[in-house]
Amino acid sequence: MMNHETLIAYGLKLPGSSLKYPFEPDLPVLYVGGKMFALFGSNGARQSVNLKADPEEAWLMRQQYPESVLPGYHMNKRHWNTVVLDGTVPDEEVTEMLDQSYRLVFGKLPKRIRQEWE
C-alpha cells in the first residue's frame, strides 16, 4: 500500500523536484520550480496527499473512489484532490496522479525554468 515515504521517494526522482516543509515539520511538500505539486498530510488517522488534477479527471477520480479521493483539503477544490492512502486507490493510480500533478505544475512554469530540466 502506498504511503508518504514511498510517494516522496518516487516524486523526488522527477526532474527538478525538491522536498520542503513550508508549513509544519510534519507536512512535507514536493515542489518543482518553486511551485507545489504534492502536499502530504492526513485525513483523520490515515495518510493522504493533495495532488493537482485536470478538473474533469479530478471529478472522475472522485466518482470512481468516493471515499478515498476527495476535493482538495484547503485547496482549490476544482483543481486539487486529496487522495487518502488507505489502499483503496491502486498504487499505480496514485503514482499516475502524482505524475499528472507534476506535469500540470511543470507545464505552467516559465519556459526558461522548464528548459533547465527538459
Side-chain angles (χ1 to χ4, degrees), residues 91-108:
D91 290 355
E92 304 80 38
E93 192 86 57
V94 176
T95 55
E96 177 52 40
M97 292 168 79
L98 182 85
D99 285 339
Q100 181 189 58
S101 183
Y102 171 86
R103 287 191 306 269
L104 288 168
V105 173
F106 185 84
K108 295 289 185 180

Side-chain angles (χ1 to χ4, degrees), residues 23-84:
F23 306 116
E24 294 181 25
D26 60 341
L27 288 176
V29 181
L30 285 173
Y31 283 83
V32 61
K35 302 285 185 181
M36 174 174 39
F37 72 93
L39 168 65
F40 297 87
S42 62
N43 186 294
R46 303 175 299 174
Q47 290 186 346
S48 65
V49 60
N50 284 6
L51 299 168
K52 191 168 181 92
D54 172 85
E56 289 181 19
E57 288 188 38
W59 183 84
L60 288 172
M61 295 307 291
R62 292 175 199 161
Q63 298 306 303
Q64 189 170 357
Y65 304 104
E67 301 297 317
S68 297
V69 179
L70 312 166
Y73 183 69
H74 283 300
M75 307 295 272
N76 179 318
K77 311 249 183 279
R78 186 166 186 264
H79 294 276
W80 289 83
N81 278 335
T82 296
V83 181
V84 179

Side-chain angles (χ1 to χ4, degrees), residues 8-27:
I8 290 169
Y10 178 85
L12 285 172
K13 293 178 183 175
L14 299 170
S17 67
S18 62
L19 181 65
K20 299 178 185 175
Y21 295 82
F23 306 116
E24 294 181 25
D26 60 341
L27 288 176

